[in-house]
Amino acid sequence: MSSNTVLMPERHYLNDGHSLKSWLLTKDHKRIALLYLFAVTFFFLIGGAFAAMIRLELATPAGDLVSDETYNKMFTMHGVMMVFFFLIPVVPAILGNFLLPIMIGAKDLAFPKLNLASWYIYMLGSFFTLYAIVTSGLDTGWTFYTPFSSTASTTAVIPAGIGVFINGFSSILTGLNFIVTVHRMRAPGMTWFRMPLFVWAHYATAIVMVLGTPVIAITLVMLVAERAFHFGIFDPAVGGDPVLFQHLFWFYSHPAVYIMILPAMGVISELIAAGCRKQVFGYSFVAFSSLAIAVIGFLVWGHHMFVAGMSVYAALVFSFLSFIVAIPSAVKVFNWTATMYKGSVSWDTPMLYAIGFIGLFSIGGLTGLFLASMGLDIHLTDTYFIVAHFHYVMVGGTILAYLGGIHYWFPKMTGRMYSEFLGRLSAGIVFIGFNLTFFPQFILGYLGMPRRYHTYPADMQMLNVLSSAGASILAVGFTLPLFYLAYAWKYGPVAGSNPWGAVGLEWNTTSPPPTTNFEETPVVTWDAYEYPTPVEGHVA
């Protein structure tokens, strides 16, 4: 990283009004991104606390820490918090909100008031879900499977369902805002094929948000209606079909995986380009692969239901499509690797997270192909193999990309630099802790240990102890950035407008950016990622 003595600008979005009212009524996309940052971090800590309790319980074979009912509530509330209130909004709502308008040369998102409303809707949904947690809890699993959720469960299913339902509108409004902004507010000269891959990824994500989220919303409405008024929609006792719920739920929830991972892929494209100081190899292929993932992702939901009584012929089709959807993801991984080949690869913190992402996401993706194979899936369904696969994609993918993105754009957001030593240390701790936590779970799943159980055979204890020990290391890695980034925000050295020597419109404005992002509307005359020819031995 080059040294920089540029002073922070006198006027920028952070000091444009310091009152609480100015923040709560702001229409500035950058401030709204920070509102999301604080809220999403809070829910991550809640979900992480439940995860810590789960791993403490599983350190011993007997269910000796909590009762089975309490354990059901712990893994359910961990899943609900992490999926609906952290993983889905974390990259689009924070990094997307902050950066997408700047990256295309716009002054704000297309609908600033709608953007603020989406944050308030998110907070309203979280209130209902937190109410469910602090009253009787929730024990249905984060998937809300019927008929248990619609009839048998004695926990707060209705408030939790209402909370997730409300939260869905936040995603829909954010997606709509992104689509209109990309179509209508690009700076002069910012053609589609000059847009950063970060913007392409968020555009594809927005399409999934707008088309997929209404499905889960109406599904939860039907669930709440059946539970409250005993309609026969999903309950077989009154003529309903519980498999219908699974079809509706996974029709949204598999594309929702791409709501979580596509924006992360956009972040990695930016980190790889800046960390290697090269144009992304096969730019157009990487851009279109985002759209391909968004489209094909709507066609593969049935691979979650191979053991739910599905026709073998339908299962064959879903198996084939599940292999097909891996191709555009592989395109991205291969092209990132080709970009790194003979590049001037830096070892700064963001690049370490990007390299970690490629390794962990590749493992998560390849193990997903095992689950797309019907014979293997029947053996592995509802085992810890599923847990490990999901976390390799979501934690090893989405969260590592988010941490890499936060470290990369932190100087732009705050105007300050953090300790590079602590950044590299935390990246290493996260990588080691993650693999120690979740890789043993692949073995446990292959050996047949079922998920959602808080007791297990004694001969599986060693692998579970390794997993629990890894979770404690991972917790340190996740917690460390909270402290050194908070310290750097106040006391870190001034970063200057472009501490990484990167290209892109966000690096052509001040750090932090002015309220209107640019003093004058930029005119784009260059292609994305126009780095000079790398010099052998360069250190960023």
Side-chain angles (χ1 to χ4, degrees):
M1 183 188 67
S2 59
S3 60
N4 203 316
T5 57
V6 179
L7 297 177
M8 291 180 66
E10 292 184 4
R11 291 297 305 276
H12 53 77
Y13 80 100
L14 287 173
N15 62 17
D16 189 17
H18 294 287
S19 68
L20 181 62
K21 180 180 179 181
S22 70
W23 279 86
L24 294 179
L25 297 180
T26 184
K27 296 187 287 291
D28 186 341
H29 67 99
K30 299 178 291 298
R31 286 193 162 197
I32 294 170
L34 293 188
L35 292 176
Y36 270 114
L37 172 65
F38 298 129
V40 167
T41 302
F42 172 72
F43 295 120
F44 173 77
L45 294 175
I46 294 177
F50 285 124
M53 293 293 292
I54 292 169
R55 289 316 319 170
L56 282 174
E57 172 62 272
L58 293 176
T60 58
D64 47 12
L65 181 63
V66 296
S67 66
D68 50 358
E69 293 88 354
T70 301
Y71 185 77
N72 290 346
K73 293 177 182 179
M74 288 197 308
F75 70 70
T76 297
M77 294 184 289
H78 165 70
V80 168
M81 281 289 111
M82 287 300 197
V83 172
F84 296 111
F85 294 93
F86 176 73
L87 288 170
I88 288 176
V90 64
V91 178
I94 299 173
L95 298 178
N97 242 329
F98 193 99
L99 294 162
L100 188 142
I102 306 177
M103 284 185 165
I104 63 174
K107 292 183 177 180
D108 207 314
L109 288 172
F111 307 113
K113 292 181 180 179
L114 209 62
N115 193 24
L116 179 62
S118 70
W119 180 77
Y120 277 105
I121 291 170
Y122 172 83
M123 296 304 296
L124 179 62
S126 69
F127 170 79
F128 278 91
T129 308
L130 289 173
Y131 171 80
I133 289 175
V134 300
T135 53
S136 60
L138 184 69
D139 67 353
T140 61
W142 71 272
T143 55
F144 293 92
Y145 267 10
T146 57
F148 181 70
S149 59
S150 59
T151 57
S153 176
T154 58
T155 57
V157 177
I158 291 179
I162 292 173
V164 175
F165 169 79
I166 293 172
N167 186 47
F169 285 93
S170 176
S171 292
I172 294 171
L173 296 181
T174 299
L176 176 66
N177 228 338
F178 284 179
I179 291 171
V180 176
T181 301
V182 171
H183 274 277
R184 304 295 299 170
M185 298 186 67
R186 301 192 308 274
M190 177 60 76
T191 63
W192 281 89
F193 290 98
R194 286 177 173 170
M195 292 195 312
L197 292 168
F198 179 93
V199 179
W200 274 100
H202 277 77
Y203 179 76
T205 304
I207 293 173
V208 180
M209 286 177 170
V210 171
L211 296 180
T213 308
V215 177
I216 190 66
I218 193 63
T219 303
L220 290 172
V221 167
M222 289 190 287
L223 169 62
V224 170
E226 177 166 282
R227 186 173 176 88
F229 304 110
H230 308 292
F231 294 158
I233 305 171
F234 305 122
D235 183 5
V238 286
D241 184 358
V243 177
L244 172 63
F245 178 89
Q246 294 189 36
H247 277 289
L248 292 170
F249 181 87
W250 289 116
F251 182 80
Y252 161 78
S253 293
H254 193 85
V257 170
Y258 302 115
I259 294 177
M260 304 175 213
I261 199 63
L262 265 174
M265 291 173 165
V267 170
I268 296 303
S269 294
E270 303 300 316
L271 302 190
I272 294 289
C276 299
R277 310 195 66 76
K278 285 178 65 180
Q279 190 171 37
V280 175
F281 181 84
Y283 166 92
S284 58
F285 281 89
V286 178
F288 281 120
S289 69
S290 293
L291 297 179
I293 289 171
V295 173
I296 302 172
F298 278 103
L299 307 176
V300 301
W301 78 91
H303 70 228
H304 293 274
M305 302 170 58
F306 285 158
V307 298
M310 178 182 293
S311 157
V312 67
Y313 302 106
L316 280 171
V317 173
F318 281 118
S319 178
F320 175 75
L321 290 170
S322 299
F323 278 91
I324 294 295
V325 79
I327 294 175
S329 296
V331 166
K332 291 182 183 292
V333 173
F334 289 139
N335 284 28
W336 293 328
T337 306
T339 304
M340 295 171 64
Y341 179 66
K342 289 190 176 180
S344 184
V345 180
S346 76
W347 294 103
D348 291 321
T349 302
M351 190 62 183
L352 292 180
Y353 277 112
I355 294 171
F357 172 97
I358 292 175
L360 299 180
F361 175 76
S362 296
I363 294 173
L366 288 171
T367 53
L369 297 180
F370 297 171
L371 301 174
S373 304
M374 286 186 290
L376 278 173
D377 182 79
I378 290 170
H379 170 65
L380 297 172
T381 290
D382 280 337
T383 70
Y384 261 82
F385 194 96
I386 306 289
V387 177
H389 157 70
F390 185 78
H391 284 82
Y392 263 85
V393 175
M394 293 296 99
V395 181
T398 302
I399 297 183
L400 256 70
Y402 168 66
L403 289 172
I406 282 289
H407 284 82
Y408 180 58
W409 284 292
F410 182 84
K412 181 57 56 180
M413 299 170 76
T414 66
R416 302 282 183 176
M417 283 303 300
Y418 51 84
S419 165
E420 188 63 34
F421 169 77
L422 291 176
R424 294 173 181 174
L425 178 65
S426 67
I429 293 173
V430 166
F431 187 81
I432 294 170
F434 174 85
N435 281 288
L436 188 58
T437 302
F438 294 107
F439 195 83
Q441 295 179 13
F442 280 126
I443 305 172
L444 287 166
Y446 175 76
L447 294 175
M449 179 175 171
R451 64 196 297 194
R452 308 188 184 99
Y453 279 48
H454 74 322
T455 62
Y456 55 85
D459 57 0
M460 293 181 175
Q461 183 174 13
M462 184 189 74
L463 291 169
N464 272 290
V465 168
L466 284 175
S467 186
S468 295
S472 64
I473 297 172
L474 187 59
V476 173
F478 283 154
T479 305
L480 190 58
L482 292 177
F483 292 100
Y484 68 74
L485 291 179
Y487 177 85
W489 195 325
K490 182 71 174 179
Y491 302 107
V494 174
S497 61
N498 191 358
W500 309 112
V503 299
L505 285 179
E506 77 268 31
W507 303 109
N508 290 342
T509 188
T510 60
S511 298
T515 302
T516 55
N517 295 336
F518 301 93
E519 300 298 339
E520 298 179 358
T521 301
V523 178
V524 180
T525 58
W526 58 89
D527 291 333
Y529 312 113
E530 278 198 4
Y531 283 95
T533 303
V535 179
E536 191 71 28
H538 166 81
V539 179

